[in-house]
Amino acid sequence: MDYKKSKAPTNTVTHNLMDFCDGTNNIYESVVIMSKRANQIAVQMRDDLQRKLKEFASTNDNLEETFENREQIEISRYYEKLPKPTLIAADEFLHHNIYFRNPAKDKDNMSTEA
């Protein structure tokens, strides 16, 4: 899911803790899934921001250009207004937009079926 199109709230929202147990039946496993997804989103956001800011990088460091580069300021403000990666990950988890699997549980299920 694209983080730019996310409908996640930009501020903290109180949720029922049991809502996070729906897919895994374990709150701790759900937190791990959301944290790994939040890390993925944060890396993607950072890479996008660095790539966009690199377009405006100048070879010479002029003090006047540093303060007057409006494009960089606008891009930075846009990324500051986006929801935080943890909020996006929690929203994706609650709306079942995250694919996850647990190899240990898959191995247990295979051994009990044999």
Side-chain angles (χ1 to χ4, degrees), residues 23-86:
T24 61
N25 295 327
N26 185 342
I27 188 68
Y28 303 107
E29 187 175 349
S30 299
V31 169
V32 169
I33 292 167
M34 288 184 287
S35 69
K36 288 183 179 188
R37 178 62 182 142
N39 286 337
Q40 291 172 348
I41 294 169
V43 166
Q44 184 182 4
M45 288 174 82
R46 186 190 67 221
D47 291 344
D48 289 347
L49 177 61
Q50 287 178 349
R51 189 177 63 248
K52 288 181 181 181
L53 291 178
K54 212 178 262 189
E55 294 173 6
F56 299 106
S58 62
T59 55
N60 58 352
D61 291 333
N62 188 353
L63 188 59
E64 293 172 7
E65 288 180 13
T66 305
F67 291 113
E68 294 181 7
N69 200 340
R70 294 225 181 263
E71 292 87 6
Q72 284 182 330
I73 294 170
E74 291 301 318
I75 290 172
S76 296
R77 283 187 183 155
Y78 172 75
Y79 277 89
E80 286 175 3
K81 290 179 184 177
L82 287 175
K84 303 292 180 236
T86 52

